[in-house]
Amino acid sequence: MEKFSFTVIDPVGLHARPATILVNQASKFASNVKLLYNGKEVNLKSIMGVMSLGVPTKATVEIQAEGDDEKDAIDSIKKVVIEQKVAEA
């Protein structure tokens, strides 16, 4: 299992635009990819699941991937959250 934690820096939190980008990125991989926040976990390939968490700015979240391409999935998602200014490098 590969993991990646980050703090959300977007002033609006993990709102629809960055959530959609994360879901689209996670969906490119065969691995099971989860987003964990505040004791809850959702499938990162589900926009409804991600939005249901209501992740605010300055929240720390963790992304976990498990499967054949888990390392590639985490590396790709990490790159996207930094490029989209959802998290700092």
Side-chain angles (χ1 to χ4, degrees):
M1 179 185 312
E2 292 284 324
K3 299 178 183 180
F4 165 56
S5 294
F6 65 92
T7 301
V8 177
I9 61 168
D10 190 304
V12 187
L14 194 54
H15 57 92
R17 186 188 56 77
T20 300
I21 291 167
L22 285 176
V23 168
N24 289 340
Q25 196 65 27
S27 296
K28 294 177 182 179
F29 298 93
S31 292
N32 182 15
V33 186
K34 296 185 277 188
L35 176 68
L36 291 81
Y37 169 67
N38 205 21
K40 298 177 186 165
E41 68 177 52
V42 296
N43 181 349
L44 189 55
K45 297 178 183 181
S46 165
I47 188 66
M48 294 306 291
V50 174
M51 294 304 295
S52 74
L53 292 178
V55 180
T57 189
K58 298 184 181 167
T60 299
V61 298
E62 182 176 287
I63 295 174
Q64 295 179 349
E66 190 169 3
D68 293 339
D69 55 1
E70 62 191 30
K71 182 169 181 3
D72 292 336
I74 290 295
D75 290 345
S76 177
I77 292 166
K78 187 184 293 187
K79 182 178 177 192
V80 167
V81 296
I82 293 167
E83 284 175 355
Q84 296 297 319
K85 299 187 178 14
V86 177
E88 289 181 315

